[in-house]
Amino acid sequence: MESTIDYSNYSLDELIQARQTIDTDTYPARAAELDRLIAERQAIVATTTAETQAQELRRVGVRFHGNAKEFFSIWIVNLLLTLVTLGIYSAWAKVRTNRYFYGNTEIDGHRFAYLAEPLQILKGRIIAAIAFAAFAVLQMINPVFALILMLVFAAFTPLIVVLGLRFKMRMTAYRNVRFQFHGSYGDAFLVFVVWPFLSIFTFYLLMPWVLKKIDQYIIDNTSFGDRSFDTGIKTSEYYANSISASLLFVLVFIVGALVSAFVLAPLSAVEGFDLSVLGILASYLIGFAVASSFYQARIRNHLFGKTKIDSVARLSSQVETFGLVKLRVVNTLAIVFTLGLAIPWAKIRAAKFFADATQITVLSGINEVLAGDNGTVGATAEEAATLFDVDLAVG
Amino acid sequence: MWSAQFYHDGGSKASAVMISLEGDKLIVTSPESEFESLSFDKDLIQVKSKLGGLPREIILPTKDLIIVDGDRELDAWLDGDFGGRLNKWETNRRWLITSVLGVPILVYLVFGFGIPWFAVHLADYVPQSVKAISSERTLSALDYSVLEPSALSEDTQLSIQQGFREVVRAIDTDLDSYNVQFRQSETFGPNAFALPDGTIVFTDALVDLLEREQRLLDAIFLHEIGHVEQNHSMQMVAESIVATIAISYFVGDVSGAVEAFMGVGSSVLQNRFSQAHEWQADDYAIMQLRAMGRSPQDFADAMLAFAEFVPASPDVVSWFETHPGTTDRIENAERAAEQQ
């Protein structure tokens, strides 16, 4: 009777070495065991290398097919129905709007789909409105209540974010496969409450790192069917861009203030109306627009450039700061001067802009993605999040 | 025959297929013979409603998905007689024109009348105990931040209070007591304000501006009582809550800049609401002065003292002001005095 040896801790190389030195005639059972283990390990290695070395099939752009004329008509008719029904129809309007934008976004010959049902959205809106009203009333009655509620709310924020993301991802599909979000509440509590709170005590010096943690949490916990998103974003990029954006703001503001003081102020003396105050306000707004666009563009490009979907796709983004500033300024002015009628046009422009700035490298695993399990998630969290102004946007 | 994409359930696999219609059946054939021809009853398939120029999405009973560019014939088959109604509205010129005209009118009606009306009625349901707690908290918060104890002598305070007590006796009110307080404040300047439970605060600067003349102080006191009697603070709070909810509800998914713009819009509305309150309180004071056998000129004189202190502002700014122009208010009171 030969004694057996536990090979389970051996690496593949060690197993092969052991197999070469063993005498098959003396220890047939051990040899057989080794052969089995070697075959098993080699199979694993083969699949992992296949995954990491998935072939690049093609590099494609994102095409957005929506047009402002068509969407304006949809938008305004839905708005009318929403007003006439005192807001109830808004759930249907939201579904149609999202379906329009998702369905008109095409990558590699396939379009996205928005799957939520209006009743899910309606339920969410009602719950969110009640929660907000309760909060407002309690705050009015007693500020101390409000303070306690703020703490309760802080504990709930991560939950709202997690449920909101889960709903949003599950309601998004591409090629009949849903996206998924599986971030945990505990991690969300860390990145959305604990780290931001601690960063206050570092005079926000920790903030770029916190923002990176938030993005990382969201992306790493997202998957397309059974394929995970994976990102290698760098803290240094977040710091470099935060600092550059702050400097940019200061620079624009100083130039604006100098222009106000030396050009506008003397002019005002003639006009009898102080233009320099307007000048300073304008330089603040322009500075903010430029700096935030710079930051958003750079971070989006970094984020996309470092993100891949396991053996399915690699992303890349080339948003230019100037283009983004132009987009936002023109959109805002158009909306303000048309008293909101330009909202559909602005939304279509923005969708086109971001689509044009995005590229996808399609990898060979694209046809083998499997759908994960499909549960149902209510829309409450997502709706509550919009109403309470928790920003969920990733890019 | 239409060429379409066939997405197999459970994965990302897609195949090019041809679909055709045979009576009430949808036939799916695979030109590359990946699978046998499939046939589905119209009743069993699920069709996403038509929307703009989007390709049609057909969900088969097998949970496979077909995406196909629809045309008139296919749309008619998929939507039946009623199915495409929303899309018809969304693409119809008459509906478009109705909406472009109807939306601004409805927005104006909802925010200009609907919400204030709702707020006024909602505010009536706030119990006195809640008003008391809320007022107490507000006053202690103000005492902590912008108010200082009054520098008026005790005698002055008592004599003014005595005058006010006569005023309260003369009017008809459901409230047990009006509680008058004096404070000093740089932030508020010459001012008086009412808290919802009937606490009314006068600043020293106001008492000095009116040269401690009881007749003028009484007129201002009546104006503040008007705010309390007509429950204005609670209406403001209710209006602000309801408007915030409505705005988030209607435009919750637009960008920050637009929301900021809507914020300006909502504060213009609030200020108009608040201007309406000032007029109501003025009219209340005028009415009560008459009932007490005094002249509305008292109120006009008090406002005149204000006008000398704060110069009049141009008309455009009035959209962003919480109070109507002082000149208009003086005219209003003087007109009432002449009528007497």
Side-chain angles (χ1 to χ4, degrees):
Chain A
M1 204 54 206
E2 60 177 293
S3 62
T4 49
I5 298 175
D6 183 14
Y7 290 115
S8 59
N9 291 326
Y10 283 33
S11 74
L12 180 59
D13 286 343
E14 287 166 341
L15 286 171
I16 292 170
Q17 216 174 12
R19 180 67 187 88
Q20 280 164 352
T21 50
I22 208 162
D23 184 352
T24 321
D25 295 332
T26 331
Y27 305 108
R30 285 187 194 176
E33 172 73 2
L34 278 171
D35 283 336
R36 192 182 63 77
L37 282 171
I38 289 169
E40 207 177 274
R41 297 281 170 90
Q42 274 171 341
I44 293 168
V45 170
T47 47
T48 43
T49 41
E51 266 181 29
T52 47
Q53 292 171 352
Q55 282 174 327
E56 288 186 14
L57 294 181
R58 54 202 164 260
R59 197 172 152 82
V60 296
V62 177
R63 295 178 63 191
F64 183 72
H65 299 279
N67 76 74
K69 192 172 164 246
E70 184 179 67
F71 181 59
F72 176 80
S73 189
I74 292 170
W75 177 80
I76 194 111
V77 171
N78 279 285
L79 196 54
L80 181 77
L81 293 171
T82 300
L83 285 164
V84 168
T85 58
L86 297 177
I88 293 170
Y89 187 79
S90 76
W92 278 259
K94 178 176 179 170
V95 168
R96 287 184 85 72
T97 303
N98 278 352
R99 272 186 64 205
Y100 188 83
F101 279 88
Y102 284 45
N104 275 314
T105 306
E106 180 195 317
I107 296 175
D108 195 29
H110 304 277
R111 289 162 184 250
F112 283 83
Y114 183 69
L115 307 173
E117 294 293 331
L119 282 177
Q120 290 175 293
I121 309 280
L122 185 65
K123 257 186 266 172
R125 294 210 157 177
I126 291 170
I127 293 173
I130 290 173
F132 180 80
F135 180 71
V137 168
L138 285 173
Q139 185 174 31
M140 179 187 78
I141 295 174
N142 192 338
V144 178
F145 269 154
L147 197 71
I148 296 167
L149 274 176
M150 287 296 275
L151 291 177
V152 173
F153 189 56
F156 265 108
T157 304
L159 187 68
I160 291 171
V161 174
V162 169
L163 293 177
L165 281 169
R166 215 182 278 176
F167 182 75
K168 186 175 163 188
M169 293 303 175
R170 271 191 200 281
M171 293 306 137
T172 307
Y174 176 70
R175 297 178 68 142
N176 208 17
V177 172
R178 289 169 189 251
F179 286 77
Q180 287 177 42
F181 181 79
H182 25 69
S184 71
Y185 171 81
D187 289 345
F189 189 74
L190 277 182
V191 299
F192 290 106
V193 179
V194 177
W195 303 142
F197 183 69
L198 288 182
S199 89
I200 297 171
F201 300 103
T202 65
F203 300 103
Y204 293 103
L205 285 176
L206 218 56
M207 210 54 206
W209 177 78
V210 174
L211 292 173
K212 181 230 170 189
K213 279 285 175 196
I214 289 175
D215 287 345
Q216 197 170 29
Y217 167 77
I218 293 170
I219 298 170
D220 281 346
N221 283 306
T222 301
S223 63
F224 171 55
D226 62 345
R227 305 304 164 93
S228 310
F229 277 63
D230 181 34
T231 186
I233 46 175
K234 291 199 169 68
T235 310
S236 58
E237 283 282 329
Y238 280 73
Y239 271 97
N241 287 312
S242 302
I243 293 166
S244 309
S246 314
L247 290 177
L248 205 54
F249 174 77
V250 172
L251 189 73
V252 173
F253 190 70
I254 288 177
V255 170
L258 288 176
V259 170
S260 305
F262 294 110
V263 182
L264 293 179
L267 267 178
S268 317
V270 187
E271 295 288 327
F273 178 72
D274 199 358
L275 285 170
S276 58
V277 178
L278 276 181
I280 288 184
L281 185 69
S283 32
Y284 176 83
L285 289 176
I286 295 169
F288 182 77
V290 171
S292 66
S293 300
F294 170 84
Y295 181 82
Q296 198 195 337
R298 298 293 287 266
I299 290 298
R300 184 185 200 264
N301 294 347
H302 176 63
L303 212 79
F304 276 53
K306 293 285 177 196
T307 299
K308 59 184 199 297
I309 310 171
D310 188 18
S311 77
V312 167
R314 276 202 302 273
L315 317 179
S316 76
S317 156
Q318 294 83 31
V319 174
E320 282 173 13
T321 303
F322 179 71
L324 189 56
V325 172
K326 205 177 110 193
L327 173 86
R328 291 164 80 183
V329 170
V330 172
N331 276 1
T332 307
L333 290 178
I335 290 171
V336 169
F337 285 110
T338 59
L339 297 176
L341 286 180
I343 289 175
W345 178 78
K347 287 179 100 167
I348 295 281
R349 269 186 90 221
K352 269 210 165 75
F353 176 85
F354 286 112
D356 287 346
T358 310
Q359 266 85 42
I360 312 289
T361 306
V362 182
L363 305 180
S364 52
I366 184 68
N367 292 315
E368 285 117 43
V369 180
L370 296 177
D373 63 322
N374 289 325
T376 50
V377 195
T380 317
E382 199 199 12
E383 277 311 306
T386 353
L387 205 58
F388 282 114
D389 251 346
V390 177
D391 191 9
L392 300 177
V394 194
Chain B
M1 291 279 262
W2 295 268
S3 60
Q5 286 276 12
F6 186 96
Y7 295 94
H8 302 260
D9 178 43
S12 63
K13 195 169 163 240
S15 322
V17 295
M18 299 300 288
I19 62 169
S20 53
L21 308 173
E22 269 175 32
D24 269 354
K25 285 195 189 308
L26 176 79
I27 313 292
V28 183
T29 48
S30 165
E32 283 156 35
S33 307
E34 281 178 65
F35 48 83
E36 302 275 308
S37 282
L38 303 165
S39 163
F40 299 98
D41 271 348
K42 192 177 178 178
D43 298 341
L44 296 175
I45 63 173
Q46 213 186 320
V47 182
K48 293 263 186 170
S49 58
K50 186 169 168 57
L51 175 62
L54 285 187
R56 304 307 305 266
E57 294 159 76
I58 305 167
I59 301 155
L60 301 175
T62 52
K63 296 287 175 212
D64 300 313
L65 171 74
I66 287 177
I67 293 195
V68 56
D69 279 317
D71 57 12
R72 196 175 287 248
E73 187 195 348
L74 185 64
D75 284 347
W77 190 85
L78 291 173
D79 298 329
D81 291 336
F82 298 105
R85 189 189 285 178
L86 273 176
N87 178 61
K88 275 179 201 135
W89 290 352
E90 285 165 354
T91 50
N92 181 301
R93 180 180 293 268
R94 207 175 299 163
W95 269 86
L96 177 65
I97 294 168
T98 312
S99 304
V100 171
L101 297 175
V103 164
I105 295 172
L106 282 171
V107 167
Y108 178 72
L109 290 177
V110 166
F111 285 89
F113 298 95
I115 289 174
W117 178 87
F118 185 63
V120 166
H121 290 268
L122 196 67
D124 286 343
Y125 291 100
V126 181
Q128 186 61 28
S129 59
V130 170
K131 289 185 199 170
I133 298 172
S134 152
S135 305
E136 203 180 299
R137 302 280 165 187
T138 310
L139 188 59
S140 50
L142 287 172
D143 274 336
Y144 182 76
S145 53
V146 291
L147 299 179
E148 302 287 331
S150 173
L152 298 174
S153 71
E154 202 145 312
D155 286 348
T156 315
Q157 292 194 22
L158 281 176
S159 93
I160 296 175
Q161 298 265 27
Q162 184 55 38
F164 286 164
R165 258 194 291 279
E166 278 162 32
V167 171
V168 175
R169 256 198 299 276
I171 61 170
D172 175 34
T173 172
D174 295 336
L175 210 63
D176 300 338
S177 69
Y178 274 93
N179 166 20
V180 178
Q181 306 260 343
F182 296 95
R183 294 286 194 280
Q184 226 179 353
S185 171
E186 274 184 38
T187 325
F188 286 159
N191 216 329
F193 58 90
L195 296 168
D197 69 339
T199 303
I200 292 173
V201 179
F202 280 75
T203 63
D204 290 1
L206 178 65
V207 177
D208 290 338
L209 183 75
L210 300 180
E211 292 169 341
R212 305 185 186 180
E213 207 175 325
Q214 191 68 37
R215 159 182 92 85
L216 303 183
L217 287 167
D218 285 351
I220 300 289
F221 182 52
L222 279 168
H223 170 91
E224 297 305 331
I225 290 179
H227 281 312
V228 177
E229 290 290 316
Q230 292 164 33
N231 205 13
H232 286 159
S233 324
M234 286 298 123
Q235 289 175 6
M236 286 293 284
V237 174
E239 208 259 334
S240 127
I241 294 173
V242 177
T244 308
I245 293 177
I247 288 176
S248 319
Y249 194 91
F250 284 119
V251 291
D253 53 350
V254 293
S255 75
V258 178
E259 267 176 54
F261 173 63
M262 290 302 292
V264 172
S266 98
S267 77
V268 166
L269 278 172
Q270 271 233 313
N271 291 343
R272 291 196 41 204
F273 198 52
S274 135
Q275 290 194 11
H277 285 168
E278 294 306 322
W279 283 119
Q280 285 172 22
D282 281 9
D283 290 342
Y284 178 87
I286 289 167
M287 185 195 80
Q288 292 295 350
L289 283 170
R290 275 182 179 161
M292 290 164 67
R294 300 190 188 182
S295 167
Q297 187 62 40
D298 290 357
F299 188 72
D301 290 345
M303 288 320 290
L304 269 171
F306 257 124
E308 280 162 27
F309 182 78
V310 204
S313 49
D315 270 354
V316 197
V317 192
S318 76
W319 283 73
F320 298 99
E321 294 279 333
T322 52
H323 285 56
T326 320
T327 350
D328 294 342
R329 296 173 70 183
I330 296 168
E331 275 172 26
N332 182 46
E334 282 181 338
R335 223 178 298 126
E338 279 163 23
Q339 278 167 20
Q340 212 171 24

